[in-house]
Amino acid sequence: MTRRPRRAPDAAAPARAPAPRPVRAPAPRPVRAAEPDVRRARAVDPGARARNLARLRRIEGQVRGLARMVEDDRYCVDILDQVAAVERALQAVAAELVRNHLHHCVRHALSGHGDAAATVDELVTVLGRRR
């Protein structure tokens, strides 16, 4: 396949500035249909949600960087340092989730609106998995 040579710009034609890119508003969160088998949080602090999403996006980038480091045969200790950083970042997300769970879901159950004993048992089980 042969390429056609590019035409030289017309000297008489005025140079056009590129059209400005439209500014897009952030996409609204999708409305999900009610799923009977999926539990939802009682309430989520919008600031906590934003912080967690930002952390998770940063972690996603770190993990992609880890994959590149492995592909590039980088020094093992450098990779392990980055793995430890990802683990610490995930722990920060987990701590924020536990904080939100305690402030909203557990508090709701303990105030008489749910099964307090089951909620406490569930929290103890979850925290036991984090070790």
Side-chain angles (χ1 to χ4, degrees):
M1 184 164 129
T2 60
R3 287 182 143 181
R4 293 189 312 184
R6 294 183 90 187
R7 287 183 34 194
D10 248 349
R16 277 194 280 170
R21 292 177 58 186
V23 177
R24 294 189 319 177
R29 287 182 43 204
V31 177
R32 296 186 179 130
E35 301 168 16
D37 58 338
V38 175
R39 296 186 301 173
R40 302 274 180 217
R42 170 113 343 249
V44 178
D45 173 37
R49 175 186 287 125
R51 286 189 302 273
N52 279 335
L53 287 173
R55 281 185 179 124
L56 290 168
R57 289 185 184 114
R58 195 174 314 119
I59 292 166
E60 182 181 19
Q62 286 178 298
V63 171
R64 274 193 248 105
L66 277 169
R68 281 191 303 273
M69 290 175 80
V70 170
E71 288 171 353
D72 295 344
D73 295 324
R74 297 279 299 271
Y75 187 58
C76 298
V77 173
D78 292 343
I79 296 171
L80 290 170
D81 284 342
Q82 291 304 309
V83 168
V86 169
E87 288 173 339
R88 284 190 303 273
L90 284 170
Q91 288 171 354
V93 171
E96 189 73 38
L97 290 170
V98 168
R99 181 178 296 111
N100 187 76
H101 187 63
L102 287 170
H103 280 288
H104 298 287
C105 303
V106 174
R107 181 183 289 169
H108 185 278
L110 293 178
S111 66
H113 299 291
D115 187 351
T119 301
V120 170
D121 289 341
E122 178 185 51
L123 184 60
V124 168
T125 301
V126 167
L127 293 177
R129 285 187 219 146
R130 290 188 62 209
R131 295 179 186 231

mmCIF file of all heavy atoms in Angstrom, residues 81-112:
data_model
loop_
_atom_site.group_PDB
_atom_site.id
_atom_site.type_symbol
_atom_site.label_atom_id
_atom_site.label_comp_id
_atom_site.label_asym_id
_atom_site.label_seq_id
_atom_site.Cartn_x
_atom_site.Cartn_y
_atom_site.Cartn_z
ATOM 1 N N ASP A 81 8.892 -2.787 47.548
ATOM 2 C CA ASP A 81 8.585 -1.497 48.180
ATOM 3 C C ASP A 81 7.254 -0.950 47.655
ATOM 4 O O ASP A 81 6.437 -0.421 48.417
ATOM 5 C CB ASP A 81 9.696 -0.480 47.919
ATOM 6 C CG ASP A 81 10.931 -0.728 48.764
ATOM 7 O OD1 ASP A 81 10.834 -1.455 49.777
ATOM 8 O OD2 ASP A 81 12.005 -0.196 48.397
ATOM 9 N N GLN A 82 7.040 -1.075 46.354
ATOM 10 C CA GLN A 82 5.789 -0.588 45.770
ATOM 11 C C GLN A 82 4.602 -1.442 46.197
ATOM 12 O O GLN A 82 3.498 -0.932 46.396
ATOM 13 C CB GLN A 82 5.899 -0.532 44.246
ATOM 14 C CG GLN A 82 6.837 0.541 43.746
ATOM 15 C CD GLN A 82 6.447 1.912 44.267
ATOM 16 O OE1 GLN A 82 5.290 2.321 44.148
ATOM 17 N NE2 GLN A 82 7.390 2.616 44.848
ATOM 18 N N VAL A 83 4.818 -2.751 46.330
ATOM 19 C CA VAL A 83 3.746 -3.629 46.823
ATOM 20 C C VAL A 83 3.338 -3.198 48.229
ATOM 21 O O VAL A 83 2.148 -3.116 48.558
ATOM 22 C CB VAL A 83 4.190 -5.114 46.800
ATOM 23 C CG1 VAL A 83 3.209 -5.993 47.574
ATOM 24 C CG2 VAL A 83 4.321 -5.615 45.372
ATOM 25 N N ALA A 84 4.328 -2.897 49.077
ATOM 26 C CA ALA A 84 4.031 -2.452 50.444
ATOM 27 C C ALA A 84 3.250 -1.138 50.427
ATOM 28 O O ALA A 84 2.329 -0.939 51.231
ATOM 29 C CB ALA A 84 5.330 -2.297 51.234
ATOM 30 N N ALA A 85 3.579 -0.247 49.505
ATOM 31 C CA ALA A 85 2.856 1.025 49.406
ATOM 32 C C ALA A 85 1.401 0.787 49.011
ATOM 33 O O ALA A 85 0.485 1.428 49.556
ATOM 34 C CB ALA A 85 3.543 1.943 48.399
ATOM 35 N N VAL A 86 1.164 -0.145 48.103
ATOM 36 C CA VAL A 86 -0.200 -0.470 47.690
ATOM 37 C C VAL A 86 -0.966 -1.067 48.873
ATOM 38 O O VAL A 86 -2.133 -0.723 49.115
ATOM 39 C CB VAL A 86 -0.210 -1.435 46.483
ATOM 40 C CG1 VAL A 86 -1.592 -1.994 46.224
ATOM 41 C CG2 VAL A 86 0.320 -0.734 45.243
ATOM 42 N N GLU A 87 -0.311 -1.948 49.620
ATOM 43 C CA GLU A 87 -0.975 -2.554 50.784
ATOM 44 C C GLU A 87 -1.361 -1.481 51.807
ATOM 45 O O GLU A 87 -2.468 -1.514 52.355
ATOM 46 C CB GLU A 87 -0.067 -3.597 51.426
ATOM 47 C CG GLU A 87 0.076 -4.860 50.600
ATOM 48 C CD GLU A 87 1.111 -5.835 51.160
ATOM 49 O OE1 GLU A 87 1.994 -5.401 51.941
ATOM 50 O OE2 GLU A 87 1.021 -7.016 50.807
ATOM 51 N N ARG A 88 -0.476 -0.533 52.069
ATOM 52 C CA ARG A 88 -0.793 0.544 53.016
ATOM 53 C C ARG A 88 -1.958 1.392 52.502
ATOM 54 O O ARG A 88 -2.837 1.804 53.275
ATOM 55 C CB ARG A 88 0.431 1.414 53.270
ATOM 56 C CG ARG A 88 1.444 0.755 54.192
ATOM 57 C CD ARG A 88 2.532 1.719 54.629
ATOM 58 N NE ARG A 88 3.257 2.329 53.531
ATOM 59 C CZ ARG A 88 4.323 1.805 52.935
ATOM 60 N NH1 ARG A 88 4.806 0.639 53.327
ATOM 61 N NH2 ARG A 88 4.919 2.439 51.945
ATOM 62 N N ALA A 89 -1.972 1.650 51.214
ATOM 63 C CA ALA A 89 -3.065 2.443 50.642
ATOM 64 C C ALA A 89 -4.395 1.695 50.769
ATOM 65 O O ALA A 89 -5.431 2.303 51.093
ATOM 66 C CB ALA A 89 -2.764 2.768 49.177
ATOM 67 N N LEU A 90 -4.378 0.388 50.544
ATOM 68 C CA LEU A 90 -5.608 -0.397 50.706
ATOM 69 C C LEU A 90 -6.048 -0.425 52.169
ATOM 70 O O LEU A 90 -7.245 -0.386 52.468
ATOM 71 C CB LEU A 90 -5.397 -1.825 50.189
ATOM 72 C CG LEU A 90 -5.400 -1.971 48.674
ATOM 73 C CD1 LEU A 90 -4.933 -3.372 48.271
ATOM 74 C CD2 LEU A 90 -6.776 -1.678 48.103
ATOM 75 N N GLN A 91 -5.092 -0.463 53.077
ATOM 76 C CA GLN A 91 -5.444 -0.417 54.499
ATOM 77 C C GLN A 91 -6.113 0.908 54.857
ATOM 78 O O GLN A 91 -7.032 0.948 55.673
ATOM 79 C CB GLN A 91 -4.206 -0.646 55.365
ATOM 80 C CG GLN A 91 -3.716 -2.079 55.328
ATOM 81 C CD GLN A 91 -2.360 -2.259 56.005
ATOM 82 O OE1 GLN A 91 -1.722 -1.288 56.412
ATOM 83 N NE2 GLN A 91 -1.922 -3.502 56.111
ATOM 84 N N ALA A 92 -5.669 1.991 54.239
ATOM 85 C CA ALA A 92 -6.294 3.290 54.487
ATOM 86 C C ALA A 92 -7.742 3.296 53.989
ATOM 87 O O ALA A 92 -8.631 3.847 54.650
ATOM 88 C CB ALA A 92 -5.490 4.405 53.814
ATOM 89 N N VAL A 93 -7.992 2.672 52.844
ATOM 90 C CA VAL A 93 -9.364 2.573 52.329
ATOM 91 C C VAL A 93 -10.200 1.739 53.294
ATOM 92 O O VAL A 93 -11.331 2.112 53.641
ATOM 93 C CB VAL A 93 -9.390 1.947 50.913
ATOM 94 C CG1 VAL A 93 -10.816 1.640 50.475
ATOM 95 C CG2 VAL A 93 -8.731 2.871 49.909
ATOM 96 N N ALA A 94 -9.651 0.617 53.759
ATOM 97 C CA ALA A 94 -10.384 -0.242 54.682
ATOM 98 C C ALA A 94 -10.703 0.500 55.978
ATOM 99 O O ALA A 94 -11.817 0.383 56.512
ATOM 100 C CB ALA A 94 -9.579 -1.506 54.975
ATOM 101 N N ALA A 95 -9.760 1.278 56.486
ATOM 102 C CA ALA A 95 -10.006 2.033 57.721
ATOM 103 C C ALA A 95 -11.137 3.032 57.532
ATOM 104 O O ALA A 95 -11.989 3.201 58.413
ATOM 105 C CB ALA A 95 -8.724 2.748 58.154
ATOM 106 N N GLU A 96 -11.169 3.687 56.382
ATOM 107 C CA GLU A 96 -12.245 4.647 56.102
ATOM 108 C C GLU A 96 -13.591 3.932 56.002
ATOM 109 O O GLU A 96 -14.612 4.424 56.483
ATOM 110 C CB GLU A 96 -11.945 5.399 54.807
ATOM 111 C CG GLU A 96 -12.855 6.557 54.525
ATOM 112 C CD GLU A 96 -12.596 7.751 55.422
ATOM 113 O OE1 GLU A 96 -11.434 8.039 55.733
ATOM 114 O OE2 GLU A 96 -13.584 8.400 55.822
ATOM 115 N N LEU A 97 -13.594 2.742 55.402
ATOM 116 C CA LEU A 97 -14.835 1.970 55.295
ATOM 117 C C LEU A 97 -15.319 1.517 56.670
ATOM 118 O O LEU A 97 -16.521 1.556 56.959
ATOM 119 C CB LEU A 97 -14.632 0.762 54.379
ATOM 120 C CG LEU A 97 -14.461 1.076 52.898
ATOM 121 C CD1 LEU A 97 -14.015 -0.168 52.141
ATOM 122 C CD2 LEU A 97 -15.736 1.637 52.322
ATOM 123 N N VAL A 98 -14.396 1.083 57.529
ATOM 124 C CA VAL A 98 -14.774 0.680 58.885
ATOM 125 C C VAL A 98 -15.349 1.877 59.640
ATOM 126 O O VAL A 98 -16.369 1.767 60.323
ATOM 127 C CB VAL A 98 -13.573 0.062 59.638
ATOM 128 C CG1 VAL A 98 -13.869 -0.078 61.120
ATOM 129 C CG2 VAL A 98 -13.205 -1.284 59.034
ATOM 130 N N ARG A 99 -14.708 3.030 59.505
ATOM 131 C CA ARG A 99 -15.187 4.242 60.171
ATOM 132 C C ARG A 99 -16.617 4.556 59.732
ATOM 133 O O ARG A 99 -17.499 4.821 60.563
ATOM 134 C CB ARG A 99 -14.258 5.409 59.856
ATOM 135 C CG ARG A 99 -14.653 6.713 60.534
ATOM 136 C CD ARG A 99 -13.676 7.846 60.244
ATOM 137 N NE ARG A 99 -12.358 7.544 60.791
ATOM 138 C CZ ARG A 99 -11.267 7.271 60.062
ATOM 139 N NH1 ARG A 99 -11.347 7.278 58.754
ATOM 140 N NH2 ARG A 99 -10.123 7.009 60.630
ATOM 141 N N ASN A 100 -16.867 4.524 58.434
ATOM 142 C CA ASN A 100 -18.210 4.799 57.925
ATOM 143 C C ASN A 100 -19.204 3.756 58.432
ATOM 144 O O ASN A 100 -20.320 4.094 58.827
ATOM 145 C CB ASN A 100 -18.207 4.832 56.396
ATOM 146 C CG ASN A 100 -19.545 5.271 55.846
ATOM 147 O OD1 ASN A 100 -19.883 6.437 55.863
ATOM 148 N ND2 ASN A 100 -20.338 4.311 55.393
ATOM 149 N N HIS A 101 -18.795 2.485 58.434
ATOM 150 C CA HIS A 101 -19.674 1.408 58.890
ATOM 151 C C HIS A 101 -20.062 1.620 60.357
ATOM 152 O O HIS A 101 -21.227 1.461 60.733
ATOM 153 C CB HIS A 101 -18.980 0.054 58.692
ATOM 154 C CG HIS A 101 -19.862 -1.115 58.986
ATOM 155 N ND1 HIS A 101 -20.997 -1.390 58.274
ATOM 156 C CD2 HIS A 101 -19.770 -2.084 59.941
ATOM 157 C CE1 HIS A 101 -21.568 -2.479 58.758
ATOM 158 N NE2 HIS A 101 -20.840 -2.914 59.781
ATOM 159 N N LEU A 102 -19.088 1.984 61.177
ATOM 160 C CA LEU A 102 -19.369 2.225 62.595
ATOM 161 C C LEU A 102 -20.308 3.426 62.781
ATOM 162 O O LEU A 102 -21.250 3.376 63.571
ATOM 163 C CB LEU A 102 -18.069 2.462 63.366
ATOM 164 C CG LEU A 102 -17.199 1.231 63.594
ATOM 165 C CD1 LEU A 102 -15.842 1.639 64.136
ATOM 166 C CD2 LEU A 102 -17.884 0.256 64.538
ATOM 167 N N HIS A 103 -20.040 4.497 62.048
ATOM 168 C CA HIS A 103 -20.842 5.713 62.211
ATOM 169 C C HIS A 103 -22.279 5.552 61.739
ATOM 170 O O HIS A 103 -23.176 6.216 62.267
ATOM 171 C CB HIS A 103 -20.200 6.885 61.454
ATOM 172 C CG HIS A 103 -19.072 7.511 62.191
ATOM 173 N ND1 HIS A 103 -19.240 8.293 63.306
ATOM 174 C CD2 HIS A 103 -17.739 7.448 61.976
ATOM 175 C CE1 HIS A 103 -18.069 8.691 63.749
ATOM 176 N NE2 HIS A 103 -17.132 8.200 62.952
ATOM 177 N N HIS A 104 -22.498 4.731 60.754
ATOM 178 C CA HIS A 104 -23.837 4.652 60.183
ATOM 179 C C HIS A 104 -24.515 3.317 60.443
ATOM 180 O O HIS A 104 -25.534 3.264 61.118
ATOM 181 C CB HIS A 104 -23.789 4.949 58.681
ATOM 182 C CG HIS A 104 -23.296 6.319 58.376
ATOM 183 N ND1 HIS A 104 -24.045 7.447 58.599
ATOM 184 C CD2 HIS A 104 -22.108 6.756 57.901
ATOM 185 C CE1 HIS A 104 -23.352 8.524 58.272
ATOM 186 N NE2 HIS A 104 -22.167 8.129 57.839
ATOM 187 N N CYS A 105 -23.972 2.241 59.923
ATOM 188 C CA CYS A 105 -24.640 0.941 59.984
ATOM 189 C C CYS A 105 -24.697 0.390 61.408
ATOM 190 O O CYS A 105 -25.758 -0.029 61.882
ATOM 191 C CB CYS A 105 -23.940 -0.051 59.054
ATOM 192 S SG CYS A 105 -23.856 0.524 57.342
ATOM 193 N N VAL A 106 -23.552 0.378 62.093
ATOM 194 C CA VAL A 106 -23.524 -0.183 63.444
ATOM 195 C C VAL A 106 -24.327 0.696 64.394
ATOM 196 O O VAL A 106 -25.113 0.197 65.211
ATOM 197 C CB VAL A 106 -22.067 -0.368 63.923
ATOM 198 C CG1 VAL A 106 -22.025 -0.809 65.374
ATOM 199 C CG2 VAL A 106 -21.345 -1.383 63.037
ATOM 200 N N ARG A 107 -24.151 2.004 64.298
ATOM 201 C CA ARG A 107 -24.913 2.913 65.157
ATOM 202 C C ARG A 107 -26.414 2.711 64.962
ATOM 203 O O ARG A 107 -27.183 2.690 65.924
ATOM 204 C CB ARG A 107 -24.533 4.356 64.850
ATOM 205 C CG ARG A 107 -25.272 5.351 65.733
ATOM 206 C CD ARG A 107 -24.939 6.770 65.372
ATOM 207 N NE ARG A 107 -23.570 7.059 65.792
ATOM 208 C CZ ARG A 107 -22.915 8.153 65.430
ATOM 209 N NH1 ARG A 107 -23.480 9.031 64.631
ATOM 210 N NH2 ARG A 107 -21.701 8.374 65.849
ATOM 211 N N HIS A 108 -26.844 2.527 63.722
ATOM 212 C CA HIS A 108 -28.257 2.298 63.415
ATOM 213 C C HIS A 108 -28.749 1.024 64.084
ATOM 214 O O HIS A 108 -29.821 0.998 64.697
ATOM 215 C CB HIS A 108 -28.437 2.230 61.897
ATOM 216 C CG HIS A 108 -29.862 2.117 61.454
ATOM 217 N ND1 HIS A 108 -30.538 0.928 61.430
ATOM 218 C CD2 HIS A 108 -30.735 3.050 61.025
ATOM 219 C CE1 HIS A 108 -31.768 1.128 61.006
ATOM 220 N NE2 HIS A 108 -31.910 2.412 60.745
ATOM 221 N N ALA A 109 -27.971 -0.050 63.977
ATOM 222 C CA ALA A 109 -28.376 -1.327 64.575
ATOM 223 C C ALA A 109 -28.402 -1.248 66.101
ATOM 224 O O ALA A 109 -29.309 -1.793 66.745
ATOM 225 C CB ALA A 109 -27.433 -2.439 64.121
ATOM 226 N N LEU A 110 -27.425 -0.566 66.681
ATOM 227 C CA LEU A 110 -27.359 -0.479 68.141
ATOM 228 C C LEU A 110 -28.432 0.435 68.729
ATOM 229 O O LEU A 110 -28.759 0.332 69.907
ATOM 230 C CB LEU A 110 -25.971 -0.005 68.581
ATOM 231 C CG LEU A 110 -24.824 -0.976 68.301
ATOM 232 C CD1 LEU A 110 -23.499 -0.373 68.732
ATOM 233 C CD2 LEU A 110 -25.053 -2.319 68.978
ATOM 234 N N SER A 111 -28.993 1.306 67.898
ATOM 235 C CA SER A 111 -30.037 2.198 68.402
ATOM 236 C C SER A 111 -31.416 1.544 68.351
ATOM 237 O O SER A 111 -32.426 2.215 68.556
ATOM 238 C CB SER A 111 -30.044 3.514 67.626
ATOM 239 O OG SER A 111 -30.427 3.279 66.281
ATOM 240 N N GLY A 112 -31.457 0.254 68.080
ATOM 241 C CA GLY A 112 -32.720 -0.481 68.120
ATOM 242 C C GLY A 112 -33.388 -0.681 66.789
ATOM 243 O O GLY A 112 -34.510 -1.166 66.718
#
